[in-house]
Amino acid sequence: MFGIPGKAPVTMTPAAVTQITKLMTRDNRAGLRIGVKKGGCAGMEYTMEYVDAADTHDEVVEQDGARVMIAPMAQMFLFGTEIDYEISLLESGFKFNNPNVVDACGCGESIKFKDVTELDATSHSQG
């Protein structure tokens, strides 16, 4: 994992912890796997899926009973991200406060990350 020893690669707000724990319990799942994939108008999109177990190379983050697994290909893109869960009059959902994002589309569903070489240099200089 790209990171700092002893520091979680992602954090969750209390609202996200509550929602993830609720989903894990309701659907009897081990947690949620988060990742990124190519797509959207800015180039990349976040992914989330229920999982029954972590894959071998997943980075597992547990916080107050909530568990997320970070897919291997997403680890360097998600380092330092805060996962939140917001509820408004029109929508509710998970929000990713990610310091590695340099641009996003108007709806916030599609993102663009810093150049991969910048991310790699940043993660190594912090470790």
Side-chain angles (χ1 to χ4, degrees), residues 8-115:
V10 299
T11 58
M12 296 171 260
T13 65
V17 166
T18 298
Q19 185 64 21
I20 291 169
T21 305
K22 185 186 304 182
L23 292 171
M24 287 170 58
T25 302
R26 182 191 75 192
D27 295 329
N28 195 29
R29 299 297 183 120
L32 297 175
R33 179 174 294 116
I34 58 175
V36 294
K37 68 176 184 175
K38 289 185 179 186
C41 54
M44 300 288 278
E45 298 175 320
Y46 293 111
T47 62
M48 292 188 89
E49 64 180 332
Y50 292 111
V51 293
D52 293 320
D55 285 346
T56 305
H57 299 289
D58 283 350
E59 180 74 23
V60 179
V61 177
E62 295 188 54
Q63 184 179 321
D64 301 323
R67 186 178 306 112
V68 294
M69 291 78 160
I70 306 171
M73 295 301 291
Q75 292 174 5
M76 73 176 167
F77 296 109
L78 296 176
F79 183 77
T81 298
E82 176 191 65
I83 303 169
D84 193 10
Y85 187 79
E86 296 179 356
I87 300 172
S88 71
L89 289 173
L90 297 175
E91 65 182 0
S92 62
F94 289 100
K95 304 290 182 190
F96 294 84
N97 300 314
N98 187 334
N100 303 307
V101 170
V102 294
D103 195 15
C105 66
C107 68
E109 295 292 321
S110 179
I111 65 253
K112 180 179 179 185
F113 292 104
K114 294 178 185 174
D115 183 280

